[in-house]
Amino acid sequence: MTRAIMFRRLLVPLVAALVLAAPSEITEARSAPGRSAPRPAGTWTGTWEAAASGTVPALPGASIRNVVHTSVGGRAARVRISNRLGMRALQLGSVTLALQRPGEPMSPGAVEGSVRAVTFAGAGSVTVPAGRDVFSDPVALPVPADANLLVSVHTPADSGPATYHRSALQANFIAPRGDRTAEESGAAYTTTVASWYYVTGVDVLGPFAAGSVVALGDSITDGSGSSAGANHRWPDRLADRLRVLPAYRRPGVLNAGIAGNRVLLADRGPSALTRLDTDVFSRAGVRTMIVLEGINDIKGTPEQKDPRVLENAYRLVVSRAHARGIRVIGATITPYGGHAAYTPAREAVRQAVNAAIRTHRIFDEVADFDATVRDPARPSRILPAYDPGDHLHFNDAGMRALAGAIDLRSLVPTPYGRRPRPAEARTRVPVRPLSPRSPRPAKRP
């Protein structure tokens, strides 16, 4: 077989996957016909993300209070609601945004006076078609960096399977009955869940244009092995490192990790190839993407035995990102010796893929995660100090080490450089008055 024929046979399935899996549509809240409103000055930047990973049964009649952690701050915010994986139109009776009480990471209570009604084209309720996401209007709430927000949604009826992010590593709260979204105390939120429901993004509005960084990955990026409720995933640790920079140079950090995710095939959530549009390219202000995926393709069922297939997939990811002015950092695949799925044959594939990442000029930059966390005495294994016990994921120290392996200069290459951004990030959305559902007059930022 000639090399040309072999390359075509490897490339065709990847291209077909991209063509057949059309990206979900994203809808922005828009003004009513004939209405004009002042446009906010500034730039939208992504501060938090959770990629849609699957569905669970809906919670009709309940209110769900999602706790999300910001990477950068701004003087206003907007919320992204997803029905991307739903089968029917999603009806939300009300949505609110608030600051979580400081010093109480397990509390559903809001800071006094911080609850704001979230509107969509001026309305306090919203219907999201199946397969789509929707952005809210700007919310007049100053949002600090490194803070917890409460995004509360009320589902008055059964809208079918709920789009969610399964592994939040964060306590979220449910009030089983009634619209409790505007309540500050949180006393009605008597049940905790470990997943985020419907909410897949928060953007902030600010005067600077440092942009955002998206970490595309699997369970390691999703934070498996790190402490729950502590925001110690490696993208969180990266955001901590970036706080040494002045605000005008500090990008937001978005976590698009899904536990169990694969590059080539849908398993836990859509494959990396088919979720680029929704989880990376449509996010606000994206300038850099960090890719850490491939171990589940190597050790999963069916397993990928040819490293060239993964290499070609990475090249497609980079090509699509470059078409949007986004730089791509490729991370080497970390060790998993001692894990139940480990075999010498699979280890050979991992080593071959890592060699390609390091030497084949696939990515703009390389973050050598493998070299950072492997045990020098047993390179197929993670250093014991970083291993939570399953020989695959990372504890808090390991997550810190992964974040430390990224050269900050590769994320913020020049003090004043401006790179092309997705069209969505350049869109200005009219500010809407807060809904009358708000429990008190809105405070100006």
Side-chain angles (χ1 to χ4, degrees):
M1 182 185 299
T2 67
R3 289 186 179 179
I5 294 173
M6 180 182 293
F7 180 77
R8 283 197 297 270
R9 289 190 177 182
L10 292 172
L11 190 60
V12 166
L14 301 180
V15 175
L18 293 173
V19 172
L20 293 175
S24 303
E25 294 185 40
I26 302 168
T27 304
E28 285 197 12
R30 297 188 181 277
S31 307
R35 232 177 185 184
S36 62
R39 294 174 180 270
T43 302
W44 287 110
T45 299
T47 189
W48 175 86
E49 174 183 356
S53 67
T55 61
V56 287
L59 299 170
S63 295
I64 306 162
R65 184 154 279 184
N66 300 278
V67 180
V68 308
H69 189 72
T70 65
S71 56
V72 292
R75 65 175 179 271
R78 65 180 180 185
V79 176
R80 179 169 175 152
I81 300 294
S82 181
N83 191 25
R84 191 183 316 161
L85 305 179
M87 305 301 292
R88 308 203 318 249
L90 166 65
Q91 297 178 15
L92 295 182
S94 62
V95 181
T96 63
L97 181 67
L99 302 176
Q100 188 184 35
R101 289 177 184 166
E104 300 182 45
M106 298 298 290
S107 170
V111 170
E112 182 178 358
S114 71
V115 177
R116 301 286 190 275
V118 177
T119 62
F120 301 83
S125 60
V126 66
T127 299
V128 186
R132 296 191 182 183
D133 291 3
V134 64
F135 290 105
S136 77
D137 301 331
V139 180
L141 177 69
V143 174
D146 192 24
N148 282 355
L149 303 179
L150 303 175
V151 184
S152 305
V153 301
H154 173 54
T155 54
D158 187 349
S159 298
T163 296
Y164 85 142
H165 181 90
R166 181 175 64 90
S167 180
L169 288 176
Q170 170 66 59
N172 302 289
F173 305 94
I174 296 175
R177 291 178 296 278
D179 183 354
R180 308 288 188 169
T181 57
E183 296 181 6
E184 289 181 350
S185 74
Y189 291 87
T190 56
T191 302
T192 60
V193 290
S195 303
W196 287 302
Y197 282 68
Y198 301 117
V199 180
T200 58
V202 176
D203 300 336
V204 290
L205 186 69
F208 307 121
S212 58
V213 176
V214 178
L216 181 72
D218 48 38
S219 56
I220 295 173
T221 299
D222 210 5
S224 296
S226 65
S227 297
N231 300 304
H232 285 171
R233 312 163 192 85
W234 73 257
D236 297 318
R237 294 298 201 180
L238 178 60
D240 292 341
R241 291 186 63 210
L242 287 164
R243 288 191 191 101
V244 303
L245 299 175
Y248 69 88
R249 292 192 62 198
R250 190 185 313 147
V253 179
L254 305 179
N255 190 330
I258 297 177
N261 200 231
R262 301 173 68 150
V263 176
L264 300 164
L265 302 175
D267 189 357
R268 295 286 183 87
S271 72
L273 285 175
T274 58
R275 65 188 184 96
L276 288 173
D277 288 286
T278 49
D279 292 345
V280 181
F281 301 150
S282 68
R283 301 291 166 164
V286 178
R287 297 190 180 179
T288 305
M289 171 170 50
I290 304 171
V291 178
L292 173 61
E293 288 233 37
I295 190 61
N296 292 320
D297 297 83
I298 293 170
K299 71 177 183 61
T301 303
E303 64 189 88
Q304 181 51 248
K305 299 179 180 180
D306 190 341
R308 292 169 297 181
V309 174
L310 278 171
E311 180 178 348
N312 289 332
Y314 294 147
R315 292 190 184 279
L316 284 174
V317 170
V318 172
S319 175
R320 294 186 64 197
H322 283 177
R324 293 160 176 81
I326 297 171
R327 301 175 71 252
V328 187
I329 298 170
T332 50
I333 300 173
T334 51
Y336 74 114
H339 187 270
Y342 177 88
T343 68
R346 290 170 175 172
E347 173 66 4
V349 176
R350 184 183 77 89
Q351 293 288 359
V353 171
N354 281 349
I357 291 172
R358 293 184 182 108
T359 64
H360 290 188
R361 299 179 181 269
I362 301 169
F363 298 101
D364 298 301
E365 302 277 350
V366 173
D368 203 339
F369 282 7
D370 171 56
T372 299
V373 300
R374 69 190 178 208
D375 186 343
R378 297 181 296 177
S380 65
R381 289 177 175 253
I382 299 166
L383 274 167
Y386 298 155
D387 191 345
D390 66 1
H391 313 301
L392 173 65
H393 299 106
F394 294 90
N395 59 22
D396 292 350
M399 292 291 181
R400 185 185 294 110
L402 292 177
I406 297 171
D407 185 351
L408 298 188
R409 292 171 298 181
S410 67
L411 304 180
V412 191
T414 58
Y416 304 103
R418 294 180 61 89
R419 294 180 177 275
R421 292 176 287 130
E424 181 276 323
R426 296 193 296 268
T427 303
R428 303 291 184 92
V429 185
V431 176
R432 292 277 165 229
L434 295 180
S435 163
R437 291 177 183 269
S438 182
R440 62 187 74 246
K443 294 183 179 180
R444 295 293 180 185

